[in-house]
C-alpha cells in the first residue's frame, strides 16, 4: 500500500466524489478505503481504486440504488461483465420515459381538445 503521498484522499476528489459520498460508500460496503486514519477518521484510497470510484460515481449518477451498486461492484471485482445489468437498467428507464411521454402527449391532446386535464385517461 502506498504512503500518504501515494494515496488518493477524499479531499483530493480525483474521481469527483465528495467526502460525504465516500463515507456513505464506505459504510455501505461499496468502496472501502485502503486506510482510515484512526485519529482523524480521514479515508485514504490507493490510486488503483480510482477506476472503481469512477464506476461507483457513474452508477450513482444513473440513479442505481446503493444496494445494487454494491452488487455490481462485487460482480465487477470478481471479473464478471456488468454491461448486461447496466443496459437492462437503461432499457427500463427508456421504457418509463416513453410511457411518461405518452402520458404528456395525452394530457396535451386533451387540453387542446377542451377536455379537463383532471379527467381519467381512457
Amino acid at each position: 500500500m502506498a504512503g500518504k503521498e501515494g494515496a488518493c484522499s477524499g479531499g483530493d476528489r480525483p474521481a469527483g466524489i465528495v467526502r460525504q459520498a465516500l463515507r456513505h460508500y464506505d459504510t455501505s460496503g461499496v468502496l472501502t478505503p485502503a486506510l482510515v486514519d484512526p485519529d482523524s477518521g480521514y479515508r485514504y484510497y490507493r490510486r488503483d481504486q480510482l477506476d472503481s470510484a469512477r464506476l461507483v460515481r457513474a452508477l450513482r449518477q444513473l440513479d442505481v440504488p446503493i444496494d445494487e451498486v454494491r452488487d455490481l461492484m462485487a460482480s465487477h471485482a470478481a471479473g464478471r461483465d456488468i454491461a448486461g445489468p447496466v443496459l437492462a437498467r437503461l432499457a427500463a428507464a427508456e421504457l418509463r420515459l416513453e410511457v411518461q411521454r405518452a402520458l404528456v402527449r395525452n394530457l396535451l391532446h386533451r387540453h387542446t381538445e377542451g377536455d379537463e386535464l383532471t379527467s381519467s385517461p381512457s
Side-chain angles (χ1 to χ4, degrees):
M1 174 158 102
K4 183 175 180 180
E5 46 290 327
C8 296
S9 68
D12 296 336
R13 291 197 288 173
I17 302 174
V18 297
R19 278 187 217 146
Q20 294 85 350
L22 287 170
R23 278 190 210 104
H24 179 61
Y25 299 158
D26 180 17
T27 59
S28 300
V30 172
L31 185 63
T32 304
L35 172 72
V36 178
D37 184 293
D39 296 323
S40 67
Y42 205 69
R43 290 161 170 76
Y44 293 91
Y45 296 85
R46 294 183 317 271
R47 294 204 185 280
D48 64 354
Q49 291 179 290
L50 191 56
D51 286 340
S52 293
R54 288 181 176 140
L55 178 55
V56 169
R57 179 175 172 233
L59 291 169
R60 292 300 291 150
Q61 287 176 323
L62 291 170
D63 294 327
V64 177
I66 198 73
D67 291 339
E68 193 173 334
V69 170
R70 182 177 38 254
D71 295 343
L72 288 168
M73 294 303 294
S75 291
H76 181 68
R80 291 190 292 275
D81 186 15
I82 63 169
V86 172
L87 289 172
R89 174 168 276 286
L90 176 63
E94 288 172 337
L95 180 60
R96 280 191 308 276
L97 183 57
E98 189 52 43
V99 167
Q100 289 173 339
R101 284 184 180 131
L103 288 169
V104 168
R105 283 191 299 268
N106 186 354
L107 286 171
L108 292 174
H109 175 74
R110 286 174 178 249
H111 180 68
T112 58
E113 296 295 315
D115 290 345
E116 292 291 322
L117 283 175
T118 57
S119 355
S120 303
S122 40

